[in-house]
């Protein structure tokens, strides 16, 4: 998710590790399809993923967030006449597809200038001025900002997937902490 590092810095893993020092926590950052597959197979108890239209047996919508055009703090607020340079994740990616659809719908020429499988790579490319990207505003690095004057983008759902309908009490506690921390982060972002 956008802001994964910020989310982990918000203390969720620390809270769980300190309250249950004998429990071994394994956290995974993965693309949506991989994460949903891990939850569906029971190899991961909880998964937080963007709504890609596929769900697990035990999932819930956490929140819908607006997608935003993101650029350097000194970026122009409207598309240039030249092809717009994009810094986007490798396909398949909902946000990449939304950006391209919005630009094509507005007849704005574009080109992919940078791709990466990591969000930190995307942030670095945008910070370096290689292009703009589409993300949510959550966890936005300080050197970047939401850009106005670009085509409208849709909202995207954030889904919490559970492997079991009645998870272990520790997993339930982790879910509660996760949802509380996430609510605080999303309310601030």
């Amino acid at each position: 998710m956008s802001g994964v590092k910020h989310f982990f810095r918000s203390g969720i893993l620390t809270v769980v590790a300190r309250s249950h020092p004998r429990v071994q926590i394994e956290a995974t950052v993965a693309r949506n399809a991989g994460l949903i597959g891990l939850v569906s197979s029971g190899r991961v108890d909880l998964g937080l993923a963007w709504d890609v239209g596929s769900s697990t047996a035990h999932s819930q919508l956490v929140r819908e967030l607006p997608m935003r055009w993101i650029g350097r703090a000194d970026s122009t607020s409207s598309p240039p006449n030249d092809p717009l340079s994009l810094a986007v994740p490798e396909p398949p990616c909902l946000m990449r597809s939304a950006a391209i659809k919005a630009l094509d719908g507005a007849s704005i020429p574009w080109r992919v200038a940078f791709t990466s499988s990591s969000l930190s790579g995307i942030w670095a490319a945008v910070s370096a001025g290689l292009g703009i990207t589409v993300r949510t505003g959550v966890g936005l690095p300080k050197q970047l900002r939401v850009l106005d004057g670009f085509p409208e983008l849709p909202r995207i759902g954030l889904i919490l997937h559970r492997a079991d309908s009645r998870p272990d009490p520790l997993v339930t506690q982790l879910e509660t902490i996760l949802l509380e921390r996430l609510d605080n982060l999303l309310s601030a972002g």
Side-chain angles (χ1 to χ4, degrees), residues 13-27:
L13 296 178
T14 303
V15 169
V16 173
R18 285 185 180 160
S19 62
H20 301 285
R22 293 179 176 243
V23 174
Q24 292 183 352
I25 298 170
E26 184 178 327

Side-chain angles (χ1 to χ4, degrees), residues 8 13 16 37-38 46 48 70 84 88 109 123 132 147 158 165:
F8 285 138
L13 296 178
V16 173
L38 290 170
L46 298 171
L48 196 58
I70 309 289
L84 180 65
V88 290
W123 289 147
I132 66 170
L147 302 175
L158 187 59
S165 62

Side-chain angles (χ1 to χ4, degrees), residues 49-65:
W50 297 118
D51 184 0
V52 294
S54 60
S55 64
T56 56
H58 316 290
S59 59
Q60 74 181 66
L61 176 67
V62 174
R63 177 128 5 137
E64 282 195 349
L65 300 165

